């Protein structure tokens, strides 16, 4: 159903199902604060649903449920379909990296009784939103001996949190005259780690004390920061938002909300005509580049493996498989905000509560950089959404010439496959606390299931 409030579809047990699904989602983003954590949780969920690592298979047949990971930061889950892989897949592709603040390679310094940590932010953020809130530290420290240490500080209720300070209002005369882009500068996003000197230490005693604590708990030294990947993210779990509990407030809905719903759609759907697949990729927020971004050859390699394990291998079959694939680029869209009505055009924006949102194109300033989906493909999707009673809406990212954005759609489109953006409308996108509607989360899950099984 097009552009109608989806809450009206639900009452009684069905409504409870929407709420219960969102409890599982809240758990997913509460433990999935980094791309690595999301991959681990996705694999755990897949294994509980009977999926096995592709490495365990010599051949694949209809109904086999498999997963593949890449460097701990990508995962693909697949159910082998009735048709040949060469006939194409039905793919849901989402990203599991979110805007955040990364720790520099040489981060620690002491200043005026504080130990601080230097950072470089990741993705598009309004820097002023990230100060004076409780922050957590997640990531890995890789040591020369090959060991990889998991660091998790700030989400256990017995843990301390860290944070970034801001100037008191009393002395902000000059600061308040600055533009929002300059109020907090990138180099000022330094995280406070401590203020207690190590006993008996003369120089940099506060920093020495922090290093001692890290050594005791995690067994690494200052130089090991050189091969660490530590991410500063908002501390705390996802919460219900609104007195009616109709929304979820949490960090990283962009794009873990589409990642979770895409993942569950594949995990919960038995073998279909076509092989179904959810891929969760990294680095979307910085251009999808590198080995773990959507531009990597990784997914193409996975398709080659599928051809090889189901058929007599040929490169041409791999190319056919990619070209015959239909895909939803599962990514979030802009939710209409009544406090900022001026940036969107009311007929072509997404509203929280109106279901899964299709963006035929994204881009900015004359659709620049967009994947403009084929109208024939959009027509097929409309038909399936209506037949399966999925609430959907269409949108573009803001008013013409207001700004814009992009997703991974165009990258997979390069294989000549049909791709369209489809996801969930978000308020406060890229802020430490983003908002989604629970009914949109559920409708997206239903929409993704309809796409992979009926299209
Ligand atoms: Mn996104
Ligand atoms: Mn984003």
């Amino acid at each position: 159903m097009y552009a109608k409030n989806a809450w009206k579809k639900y009452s009684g047990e069905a409504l409870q199902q929407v709420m219960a699904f969102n409890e599982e989602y809240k758990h997913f983003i509460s433990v999935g604060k980094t791309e690595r954590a999301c991959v681990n949780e996705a694999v755990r969920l897949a294994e509980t649903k009977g999926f096995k690592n592709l490495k365990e298979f010599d051949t694949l047949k209809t109904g086999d449920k498999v997963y593949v990971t890449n460097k701990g930061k990508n995962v693909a889950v697949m159910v082998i379909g009735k048709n040949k892989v060469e006939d194409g897949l039905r793919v849901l592709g989402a990203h599991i990296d979110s805007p955040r603040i990364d720790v520099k390679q040489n981060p620690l310094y002491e200043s005026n009784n504080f130990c601080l940590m230097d950072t470089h932010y990741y993705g598009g953020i309004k820097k002023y939103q990230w100060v004076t809130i409780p922050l957590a530290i997640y990531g890995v420290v890789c040591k020369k001996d090959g060991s990889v240490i998991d660091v998790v500080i700030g989400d256990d209720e017995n843990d301390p949190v860290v944070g970034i300070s801001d100037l008191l209002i009393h002395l902000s005369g000059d600061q308040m005259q600055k533009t929002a882009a300059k109020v907090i500068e990138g180099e000022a996003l330094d995280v406070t780690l401590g203020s207690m000197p190590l006993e008996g230490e003369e120089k940099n005693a506060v920093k020495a004390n922090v290093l001692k604590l890290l050594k005791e708990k995690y067994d690494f030294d200052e130089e090991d920061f050189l091969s660490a990947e530590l991410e500063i993210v908002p501390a705390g779990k996802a919460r219900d938002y609104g007195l009616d509990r109709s929304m979820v407030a949490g960090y990283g809905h962009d794009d873990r909300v589409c990642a979770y719903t895409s993942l569950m759609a594949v995990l919960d759907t038995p073998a279909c005509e076509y092989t179904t697949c959810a891929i969760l990729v990294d680095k979307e927020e910085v251009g999808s580049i590198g080995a773990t971004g959507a531009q990597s050859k990784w997914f193409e390699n996975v398709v080659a493996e599928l051809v090889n394990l189901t058929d007599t291998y040929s490169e041409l079959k791999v190319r056919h498989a990619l070209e015959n694939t239909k895909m939803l680029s599962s990514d979030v869209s802009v939710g209409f905000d009544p406090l900022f009505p001026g940036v969107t055009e009311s007929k072509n924006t997404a509203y929280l509560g109106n279901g899964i949102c299709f963006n035929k194109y994204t881009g900015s300033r004359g659709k620049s950089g967009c994947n403009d989906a084929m109208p024939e493909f959009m027509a097929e999707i409309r038909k399936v959404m209506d037949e399966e009673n999925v609430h959907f809406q269409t949108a573009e990212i803001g008013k013409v010439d207001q700004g814009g954005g992009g997703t991974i759609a165009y990258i997979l489109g390069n294989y000549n496959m049909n791709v369209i953006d489809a996801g969930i409308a978000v308020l406060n996108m890229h802020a430490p606390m983003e908002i989604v509607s629970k009914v949109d989360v559920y409708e997206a899950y239903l929409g993704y299931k309809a796409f992979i099984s009926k299209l």
Side-chain angles (χ1 to χ4, degrees):
M1 193 176 292
Y2 172 64
K4 294 275 184 333
N5 194 313
W7 283 112
K8 291 176 184 159
K9 181 169 146 186
Y10 295 99
S11 62
E13 257 178 52
L15 182 59
Q16 279 172 21
Q17 214 172 338
V18 173
M19 294 305 192
F21 185 84
N22 276 278
E23 287 305 304
E24 302 292 319
Y25 169 57
K26 278 160 60 188
H27 175 76
F28 181 80
I29 50 165
S30 298
V31 300
K33 292 269 182 100
T34 66
E35 50 281 9
R36 281 175 193 260
C38 286
V39 166
N40 291 341
E41 185 62 9
V43 167
R44 190 189 69 78
L45 288 165
E47 285 180 342
T48 61
K49 304 245 179 187
F51 284 65
K52 294 200 172 99
N53 195 317
L54 188 73
K55 287 179 186 156
E56 294 177 35
F57 292 81
D58 295 324
T59 60
L60 287 171
K61 58 178 191 313
T62 303
D64 281 341
K65 300 170 167 188
V66 295
Y67 69 83
V68 188
T69 62
N70 179 35
K71 297 180 168 58
K73 293 183 174 188
N74 301 150
V75 60
V77 294
M78 290 155 292
V79 180
I80 307 304
K82 293 163 192 162
N83 298 341
K84 289 188 162 185
V85 172
E86 189 181 358
D87 296 335
L89 286 72
R90 295 296 175 264
V91 175
L92 306 168
H95 67 94
I96 46 177
D97 61 316
S98 296
R100 58 175 189 259
I101 298 171
D102 282 348
V103 175
K104 286 188 185 182
Q105 296 314 111
N106 183 12
L108 293 193
Y109 69 97
E110 178 160 339
S111 176
N112 304 287
N113 292 351
F114 290 110
C115 174
L116 293 124
M117 183 161 64
D118 227 319
T119 67
H120 194 146
Y121 65 96
Y122 173 96
I125 62 169
K126 289 178 165 181
K127 295 167 204 109
Y128 65 79
Q129 293 177 331
W130 293 72
V131 296
T132 71
I133 56 170
L135 297 170
I137 307 173
Y138 276 82
V140 292
V141 178
C142 304
K143 299 216 298 184
K144 285 197 289 185
D145 65 6
S147 59
V148 177
I149 302 160
D150 266 306
V151 175
V152 181
I153 303 168
D155 268 340
D156 186 297
E157 62 179 37
N158 298 313
D159 274 357
V161 293
V162 293
I164 300 165
S165 54
D166 190 9
L167 198 52
L168 65 168
I169 183 68
H170 313 68
L171 299 181
S172 294
D174 290 343
Q175 190 199 33
M176 297 299 274
Q177 303 306 315
K178 294 182 180 177
T179 61
K182 296 276 181 189
V183 163
I184 300 291
E185 306 254 16
E187 278 296 351
L189 291 174
D190 291 1
V191 177
T192 304
L193 292 185
S195 66
M196 191 194 291
L198 182 65
E199 210 184 313
E201 196 78 13
E202 285 302 315
K203 246 183 105 207
N204 290 334
V206 179
K207 179 178 152 184
N209 196 34
V210 165
L211 283 167
K212 178 172 167 270
L213 293 169
L214 289 173
K215 180 77 179 172
E216 280 168 7
K217 182 155 185 200
Y218 294 107
D219 190 27
F220 70 84
D221 301 306
E222 184 171 15
E223 209 174 283
D224 293 321
F225 275 107
L226 292 175
S227 46
E229 196 168 74
L230 297 171
E231 306 180 6
I232 308 297
V233 296
K237 292 179 178 171
R239 308 273 298 265
D240 285 346
Y241 191 68
L243 302 187
D244 55 7
R245 299 179 180 273
S246 59
M247 295 166 276
V248 178
Y251 163 68
H253 287 316
D254 178 8
D255 184 34
R256 292 162 189 157
V257 69
C258 298
Y260 180 75
T261 43
S262 295
L263 172 74
M264 296 314 291
V266 171
L267 297 189
D268 291 344
T269 306
C272 301
E273 297 300 310
Y274 296 92
T275 294
T276 62
C277 173
I279 52 169
L280 309 186
V281 295
D282 180 26
K283 294 285 179 281
E284 193 274 346
E285 297 294 356
V286 293
S288 297
I289 29 49
T292 59
Q295 302 199 39
S296 162
K297 295 277 183 242
W298 169 69
F299 177 63
E300 189 181 322
N301 294 346
V302 170
V303 174
E305 297 279 1
L306 291 185
V307 169
N308 188 44
L309 294 172
T310 54
D311 204 344
T312 338
Y313 182 83
S314 85
E315 196 199 327
L316 192 59
K317 286 178 184 169
V318 177
R319 292 192 197 191
H320 286 160
L322 288 161
E323 188 168 70
N324 290 328
T325 289
K326 293 180 181 176
M327 171 170 164
L328 296 182
S329 161
S330 308
D331 206 345
V332 296
S333 195
V334 183
F336 177 83
D337 186 339
L339 302 190
F340 300 96
V343 298
T344 47
E345 185 262 293
S346 61
K347 302 186 306 305
N348 289 285
T349 195
Y351 296 88
L352 264 67
N354 280 5
I356 184 171
C357 173
F358 292 91
N359 286 63
K360 184 172 177 294
Y361 49 86
T362 56
S364 57
R365 292 176 187 82
K367 296 186 174 182
S368 183
C370 78
N371 166 72
D372 205 341
M374 298 294 291
E376 291 89 344
F377 184 42
M378 184 62 206
E380 290 177 31
I381 289 170
R382 284 173 56 204
K383 179 168 179 280
V384 166
M385 293 302 135
D386 281 338
E387 283 170 0
E388 299 297 307
N389 191 27
V390 176
H391 278 254
F392 75 97
Q393 52 186 329
T394 57
E396 53 180 271
I397 300 180
K399 266 185 182 169
V400 175
D401 287 344
Q402 184 71 41
T407 66
I408 65 169
Y410 75 97
I411 301 163
L412 284 303
N414 288 341
Y415 289 113
N416 196 28
M417 64 174 76
N418 268 311
V419 187
I420 188 169
D421 283 299
I424 292 158
V426 175
L427 288 192
N428 306 351
M429 199 190 293
H430 286 205
M433 183 182 80
E434 301 178 314
I435 309 297
V436 292
S437 162
K438 288 182 179 178
V439 80
D440 293 341
V441 174
Y442 197 70
E443 288 296 312
Y445 165 69
L446 296 182
Y448 292 146
K449 282 211 292 192
F451 177 85
I452 57 174
S453 59
K454 305 289 177 186
L455 215 86

